[in-house]
């Protein structure tokens, strides 16, 4: 398939992915504030993953304005979402989006703080899905935490895994890109762990927690 054909296929898929209005509104807020939310295509895939594992408990690292959280709960409406962000303005906007979606307050737990401090307080193996959309410089650390937090057979999902294509450029040897490249190589070569890297948008890396 040529590059133009790949672009055409991606455009075809994106044009046919609808998004609930409340998520579109949260996306608009994100773009106004310079926050990069997941695309509707990635969001729909997150909803499918949440539904596939019948998620009842989800951790999200990086709340943003609520776009990805809404998609996750769209796929698993009975789940409880624990979402972490260090920016109070982002969490307030996300809370407004969750309220606009008429989500029960008991189904969304927002935690203000740095994920590196918060994650250690969460229970081992207590979550069906861990979604990471935060500081890529700490992606390796967050994935390690995700493997601890996810139940056997649960999912750890990393957004922006290709760093806008930088991971595919051998000339880019920056610390962040090198660490991510090493992470992808490591899990791609582990026979006892199932993982997948999808080249959709900015890359979506999914790991199945061992033991399932």
């Amino acid at each position: 398939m040529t590059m133009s054909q790949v672009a055409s296929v991606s455009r075809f898929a994106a044009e046919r992915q609808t998004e609930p209005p409340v998520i579109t509104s949260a996306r608009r807020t994100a773009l106004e504030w310079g926050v990069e939310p997941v695309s509707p295509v990635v969001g729909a895939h997150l909803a499918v993953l949440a539904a596939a594992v019948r998620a009842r408990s989800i951790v999200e690292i990086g709340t943003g304005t609520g776009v990805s959280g809404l998609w996750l709960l769209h796929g698993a409406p009975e789940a409880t979402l624990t979402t972490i962000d260090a920016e109070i303005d982002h969490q307030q906007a996300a809370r407004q989006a969750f309220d606009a979606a008429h989500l029960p307050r008991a189904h969304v737990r927002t935690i203000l703080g740095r994920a590196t401090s918060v994650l250690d307080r969460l229970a081992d193996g207590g979550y069906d899905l861990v979604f990471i959309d935060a500081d890529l410089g700490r992606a390796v650390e967050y994935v390690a935490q995700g493997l601890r937090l996810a139940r056997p057979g649960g999912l750890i999902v990393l957004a922006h895994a290709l760093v806008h294509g930088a991971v595919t450029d051998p000339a880019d040897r920056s610390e962040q890109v090198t660490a991510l490249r090493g992470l992808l190589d490591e899990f791609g070569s582990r026979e006892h762990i199932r993982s997948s890297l999808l080249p959709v948008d900015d890359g979506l890396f999914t790991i199945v927690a061992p033991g399932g």
Side-chain angles (χ1 to χ4, degrees):
M1 192 180 295
T2 66
M3 291 298 293
S4 62
Q5 287 174 320
V6 170
S8 178
V9 168
S10 297
R11 187 165 54 252
F12 179 89
E15 289 172 350
R16 279 152 184 80
Q17 181 57 61
T18 58
E19 184 172 64
V22 68
I23 304 182
T24 299
S25 179
R27 178 181 306 285
R28 190 178 303 114
T29 300
L31 295 176
E32 289 173 356
W33 287 8
V35 177
E36 184 177 4
V38 298
S39 72
V41 171
V42 169
H45 189 70
L46 292 177
V48 168
L49 292 177
V53 296
R54 298 181 180 180
R56 303 288 296 186
S57 189
I58 300 171
V59 173
E60 178 183 47
I61 305 171
T63 308
T65 59
V67 174
S68 51
L70 288 168
W71 270 117
L72 288 163
L73 291 175
H74 185 66
E78 299 303 316
T80 297
L81 173 70
T82 298
T83 182
I84 306 163
D85 204 295
E87 297 292 336
I88 189 171
D89 291 342
H90 293 175
Q91 283 211 334
Q92 288 175 343
R95 173 55 69 184
Q96 291 174 359
F98 296 142
D99 287 344
H102 304 294
L103 295 173
R105 284 284 177 120
H107 280 223
V108 182
R109 177 171 64 147
T110 57
I111 301 179
L112 181 65
R114 296 190 179 279
T116 49
S117 300
V118 174
L119 293 174
D120 286 337
R121 305 202 302 265
L122 302 184
D124 293 10
Y127 300 89
D128 302 296
L129 192 154
V130 179
F131 177 60
I132 304 164
D133 188 7
D135 177 14
L136 285 174
R138 294 187 176 274
V140 174
E141 179 180 355
Y142 291 153
V143 168
Q145 287 276 25
L147 287 167
R148 178 183 66 80
L149 295 170
R151 63 164 173 80
L155 300 179
I156 301 94
V157 185
L158 173 66
H160 303 292
L162 295 177
V163 198
H164 301 291
V167 168
T168 68
D169 180 5
D172 191 327
R173 299 182 181 179
S174 63
E175 183 177 353
Q176 175 178 282
V177 170
T178 299
L180 269 171
R181 195 179 289 132
L183 176 73
L184 298 175
D185 289 344
E186 177 187 355
F187 281 95
S189 63
R190 285 191 185 184
E191 294 184 0
H192 66 291
I193 292 186
R194 290 162 287 169
S195 64
S196 171
L197 174 61
L198 294 180
V200 58
D201 291 333
D202 196 22
L204 197 67
F205 185 52
T206 303
I207 303 166
V208 181

